[in-house]
Amino acid sequence: MTSEEGQRGRFITLEGGEGAGKSTQAQLLQQWLGSRGVQVVRTREPGGSPDAEAMRRLLLGGRAAPFGPAAEALLFAVARADHVAVTIAPALRAGQWVVCDRFMDSTRAYQGSSQVSGQELDRLERIAVGDLRPDLTLILDLPASEGLRRAGERRQPADRFERDSLTVHEARRAAFLAIAAAEPTRCAVIDASLTPEEVARAIVSQVSSRLGAMLPEPA
């Protein structure tokens, strides 16, 4: 590892369907990393920068849905490009670790399972993130029916994506698992049907085994 690579922060993303517990686990992971002496920026998509947060309201409110999944994918890419430029890339350059609730894999799972071609998504990804890739992606896996039940208990009214049919949510789950199978070096699948404490322990185990050498030495 070069000196420049050693100074760069690490980028961890949490992915998965609705109700999988990504936001909770991102917060718990931030706390655990902080206890190890890591400076952490916790962020989310869509959102994570002022302009991207404005686009989040548009996307989750369903205002882009009438234009179709390709248009939604384009808007996600615009929001992501700003998020990377304003929040993620500067934090990584400063040596901070970034924990992000959703990133590029969500576009591949959500819009990719809605008939947006892989070629189109590849082009948008290159524009939005360039060569940036997460160092570790934790895919929180949960049966779609259980995820929707949890999401319904957590928030009302449902957002634009939560309102989709169970069949659509099952296709998204399958897409996330296919991404994990295709990129096992980057991705780890976490059983999100466990308790939050058990999920957090599984996540810490993955982070420790895959990125532990990059954590600061104990004081």
Side-chain angles (χ1 to χ4, degrees), residues 48-65:
S49 63
D51 287 343
E53 287 290 332
M55 298 198 74
R56 177 187 180 90
R57 293 189 290 273
L58 183 153
L59 285 159
L60 298 190
R63 292 172 60 192

Side-chain angles (χ1 to χ4, degrees), residues 1-10 92-93 95 213-214:
M1 180 183 296
T2 68
S3 173
E4 182 178 348
E5 288 172 334
Q7 293 170 359
R8 173 190 176 274
R10 299 298 146 182
L92 294 174
R93 286 195 298 268
M214 303 166 192

Side-chain angles (χ1 to χ4, degrees), residues 133-213:
R133 293 293 180 275
D135 296 289
L136 175 61
T137 295
L138 301 156
I139 295 179
L140 275 59
D141 180 53
L142 187 70
S145 57
E146 172 62 12
L148 289 175
R149 184 192 67 77
R150 291 184 183 182
E153 291 179 349
R154 176 193 67 208
R155 179 175 61 225
Q156 290 295 335
D159 70 30
R160 174 262 178 274
F161 296 102
E162 291 171 346
R163 291 193 295 268
D164 285 330
S165 70
L166 179 59
T167 299
V168 170
H169 286 284
E170 288 172 338
R172 291 168 183 164
R173 181 192 185 193
F176 278 122
L177 292 175
I179 290 168
E183 298 189 59
T185 302
R186 174 173 70 89
C187 299
V189 177
I190 305 293
D191 182 358
S193 69
L194 301 172
T195 67
E197 295 77 16
E198 290 170 327
V199 173
R201 285 195 292 271
I203 285 174
V204 165
S205 176
Q206 288 291 336
V207 173
S208 297
S209 64
R210 295 179 183 233
L211 301 177

Side-chain angles (χ1 to χ4, degrees), residues 69-70 73-74 77 80 104-128:
L74 177 59
R80 182 165 298 129
M104 62 187 191
D105 294 309
S106 279
T107 299
R108 291 195 168 273
Y110 278 63
Q111 283 69 51
S113 62
S114 299
Q115 301 182 335
V116 181
S117 73
Q119 275 189 326
E120 289 177 285
L121 294 175
D122 286 343
R123 285 195 293 270
L124 290 174
E125 202 169 276
R126 285 195 297 271
I127 293 168

Side-chain angles (χ1 to χ4, degrees), residues 64-108:
F67 300 100
E72 287 183 318
L74 177 59
L75 291 173
F76 273 111
V78 172
R80 182 165 298 129
D82 190 71
H83 184 204
V84 168
V86 172
T87 303
I88 297 174
L92 294 174
R93 286 195 298 268
Q96 297 171 314
W97 288 40
V98 175
V99 174
C100 189
D101 177 352
R102 295 197 183 280
F103 194 58
M104 62 187 191
D105 294 309
S106 279
T107 299
R108 291 195 168 273

Side-chain angles (χ1 to χ4, degrees), residues 9-12 14 25-43 87 91-92 94-100 207 215-216:
R10 299 298 146 182
F11 184 23
I12 302 173
L14 288 88
Q25 294 302 326
Q27 182 177 13
L28 293 173
L29 178 56
Q30 179 188 29
Q31 292 170 356
W32 180 80
L33 288 169
S35 74
R36 296 293 305 269
V38 178
Q39 288 187 308
V40 182
V41 171
R42 178 164 57 93
T43 186
T87 303
L92 294 174
Q96 297 171 314
W97 288 40
V98 175
V99 174
C100 189
V207 173
L215 290 168

